[in-house]
Amino acid sequence: ELQLVQSGAEVKKPGESLKISCKGSGDTFNTYWIAWVRQMPGKGLEWMGIIYPGDSDTRYSPSFQGQVTISADKSINTAYLQWSSLKASDTAMYYCARQVASAFDVWGQGTMVTVSS
Amino acid sequence: EIVLTQSPATLSLSPGESATLSCRASQSVSNYLAWYQQKPGQAPRLLIYDASNRATGIPARFSGSGSGTDFTLTISSLEPEDFAVYYCQQRSNWVTFGGGTKVEIK
């Protein structure tokens, strides 16, 4: 059974870069699509984009295109979400999740990113 | 972008009562509709996929129905652990989530 384990909480300053990770274990990570979902404090869920680690095929939500980069390293069963220049508005919990058909059936525990001067 | 509107925003009920949550899409999503439960400090948990199929390990008191633009999640008899926020999600055109319904203890 697939498990997704995310990297730990981060506190950054505006303008800094950041890369967070999502490591899969226990199943064939590279044969499923992995999505990233944002949840701002006290708010709902927002789909950011998705990657197929097997060939790194990536799709972005129009709302997040150009704002973040999604990547993967299939040799270590890990997907990444990165920012080149963080803003205070990037403060949120970020989840990775496995997409199977039309739903997300396995979720990581979340990575809290705080951006503050 | 397909907009999902959930209602009501908050549902105040007692344990043992039945809960009916609504999700309306701005255009047809066929049956590509899922429901999730989220408790404070936890990741979302898949309850229902393809509008009416329970995910693995989900109790039978959770049921989903609908197709096209109107969908319903029903919890037949609320248990204490069911008080949470519920989200719908579509994958017909990109992926979007509804704004959520909070089921709180009355």
Side-chain angles (χ1 to χ4, degrees):
Chain A
E1 179 182 332
L2 178 70
Q3 295 180 10
L4 298 175
V5 179
Q6 298 184 230
S7 50
E10 301 274 1
V11 179
K12 292 289 189 179
K13 290 181 168 36
E16 292 186 331
S17 63
L18 176 65
K19 190 174 189 177
I20 63 175
S21 66
C22 169
K23 184 172 177 62
S25 63
D27 206 324
T28 313
F29 179 82
N30 297 327
T31 60
Y32 293 99
W33 289 87
I34 299 294
W36 286 96
V37 176
R38 183 175 79 173
Q39 187 167 39
M40 300 177 77
K43 301 299 184 183
L45 304 168
E46 301 172 271
W47 183 81
M48 304 175 71
I50 201 163
I51 188 165
Y52 189 80
D55 62 6
S56 290
D57 186 6
T58 307
R59 319 280 170 84
Y60 292 93
S61 161
S63 300
F64 290 92
Q65 178 83 48
Q67 308 304 308
V68 296
T69 301
I70 294 171
S71 60
D73 184 341
K74 67 179 180 181
S75 68
I76 55 172
N77 287 357
T78 302
Y80 301 97
L81 177 66
Q82 69 180 89
W83 296 259
S84 59
S85 180
L86 287 160
K87 303 184 285 287
S89 56
D90 293 318
T91 294
M93 181 72 80
Y94 293 88
Y95 295 102
C96 63
R98 180 175 75 173
Q99 181 170 332
V100 175
S102 62
F104 303 101
D105 67 335
V106 178
W107 292 69
Q109 83 278 17
T111 295
M112 184 66 206
V113 175
T114 303
V115 184
S116 174
S117 55
Chain B
E1 175 181 299
I2 295 177
V3 176
L4 298 178
T5 302
Q6 291 189 240
S7 61
T10 303
L11 203 48
S12 298
L13 295 168
S14 301
E17 291 191 295
S18 173
T20 301
L21 288 65
S22 173
C23 177
R24 176 163 290 176
S26 59
Q27 63 190 78
S28 176
V29 299
S30 184
N31 69 330
Y32 297 129
L33 196 286
W35 291 94
Y36 301 84
Q37 176 193 69
Q38 188 178 33
K39 297 179 181 179
Q42 295 185 18
R45 173 195 181 196
L46 176 65
L47 300 175
I48 301 287
Y49 65 95
D50 292 346
S52 60
N53 297 295
R54 272 190 303 278
T56 303
I58 301 303
R61 64 180 181 274
F62 291 93
S63 63
S65 63
S67 66
T69 60
D70 289 293
F71 299 87
T72 300
L73 175 69
T74 301
I75 311 171
S76 60
S77 178
L78 284 162
E79 298 286 341
E81 62 268 27
D82 299 336
F83 292 91
V85 178
Y86 292 83
Y87 293 98
C88 58
Q89 168 253 317
Q90 67 81 24
R91 202 232 70 184
S92 175
N93 183 331
W94 293 102
V95 171
T96 53
F97 291 88
T101 291
K102 181 179 182 180
V103 178
E104 65 176 23
I105 299 176
K106 186 174 182 180

